[in-house]
Amino acid sequence: MEVIKTNIDGVVIIEPRIFADERGYFYESWNEKEFNEKVRPIRFVQDNQSKSSYGVLRGLHFQKGEHSQSKLLRVVKGRVLDVAVDIRKGSPTFGQHVAVELTEDNQRQVFIPRGFAHGFSVLSETAIFQYKCDNLYCKESEGAIAWNDEALGIDWKIPADQVILSEKDANHPLLKDSPYLFDYQEDLYK
C-alpha cells in the first residue's frame, strides 16, 4: 500500500496495490502489520457499513473523551466526498479540513486519527460506505459540529438545496460554539 500524506498531520490517504486482469481485480484492503509500520500502531475493534443515496450528508461526527475513535474509511460502491476536520484546540491545523473523494474505482481509503470530526456526502446515485473504528461506539459520547459552518469552508460538492440530512445532523453547533473539543496536547491513544 502507498501512504499519501495530507495537509493535516496524521490524516492520510491509502492507495492499495491493485492486481487487475481480464477476470477483474484483487487487492488487500487491510494489513495490520503494514499499516502499523507505515501509518501508526492501531487495533480496530468495530466495522461499520452504510448505504445512502445522492445528496445524503452524514456528519460532522466524533466520539468524545475515552470513547474517541480513529477511523479507516472506504467506498465499496459509488462515490463520496469524505471530510475530516481538526477539532484539537491548540493544533496548528485547528479548524482546517481534509476532503478526499473515495470511489469504487479509485479504491482509496482515508485514515482519520482521534481528535477529528468526520463526515461525508454522497456524490453518486447510491453509495455503500465502510469503515473500521479503533474504539466501540458509545451513544452517550456522541459529539458533532455543523456541516455547514462557514468558518470551516467545506465544499461538499452538492448544492445546499439538495443536501439530505437527519434531523440530528441539521442541528449541530458551529465549531466556535461546540461544548466539547479535544486538546492537542493530550495523548488520545493512552
Side-chain angles (χ1 to χ4, degrees):
M1 70 181 187
E2 180 184 354
V3 176
I4 302 166
K5 293 183 178 184
T6 67
N7 62 318
I8 299 180
D9 190 40
V11 178
V12 297
I13 300 166
I14 297 168
E15 287 192 345
R17 186 169 173 211
I18 299 173
F19 301 91
D21 61 24
E22 65 280 351
R23 300 169 298 165
Y25 68 83
F26 169 84
Y27 75 92
E28 193 173 69
S29 63
W30 170 246
N31 181 311
E32 182 178 40
K33 181 180 184 294
E34 190 173 7
F35 189 91
N36 289 352
E37 291 169 357
K38 292 183 175 181
V39 180
R40 72 163 295 120
I42 202 92
R43 181 178 161 263
F44 291 115
V45 297
Q46 182 175 325
D47 273 2
N48 299 319
Q49 180 170 307
S50 68
K51 180 179 179 184
S52 305
S53 57
Y54 174 80
V56 168
L57 193 150
R58 298 180 188 266
L60 291 157
H61 306 143
F62 58 92
Q63 290 274 284
K64 300 182 274 191
E66 67 183 278
H67 299 285
S68 64
Q69 295 176 323
S70 297
K71 296 178 179 176
L72 180 62
L73 313 117
R74 69 185 182 128
V75 166
V76 176
K77 180 180 181 190
R79 192 169 128 239
V80 307
L81 183 73
D82 196 69
V83 176
V85 178
D86 187 348
I87 59 170
R88 301 169 297 169
K89 292 180 296 190
S91 166
T93 54
F94 177 77
Q96 294 180 29
H97 71 277
V98 170
V100 179
E101 196 169 298
L102 304 177
T103 75
E104 65 184 290
D105 296 323
N106 71 22
Q107 300 293 340
R108 284 181 153 187
Q109 298 182 57
V110 173
F111 174 72
I112 302 174
R114 296 176 181 188
F116 288 76
H118 169 255
F120 68 92
S121 59
V122 178
L123 307 178
S124 53
E125 186 178 334
T126 61
I128 297 176
F129 188 75
Q130 292 182 336
Y131 59 102
K132 298 179 176 308
C133 300
D134 72 339
N135 211 345
L136 298 174
Y137 168 77
C138 177
K139 183 166 180 52
E140 295 73 37
S141 293
E142 287 180 345
I145 56 175
W147 69 276
N148 58 349
D149 185 338
E150 289 183 11
L152 301 177
I154 300 169
D155 177 0
W156 292 98
K157 309 289 186 202
I158 297 174
D161 64 342
Q162 293 182 34
V163 169
I164 301 167
L165 300 166
S166 69
E167 184 177 335
K168 190 163 51 170
D169 281 348
N171 294 296
H172 297 311
L174 300 175
L175 178 61
K176 69 180 180 67
D177 300 325
S178 178
Y180 184 92
L181 297 172
F182 295 94
D183 183 345
Y184 182 66
Q185 300 303 321
E186 182 182 354
D187 179 1
L188 298 173
Y189 289 94
K190 57 180 179 166

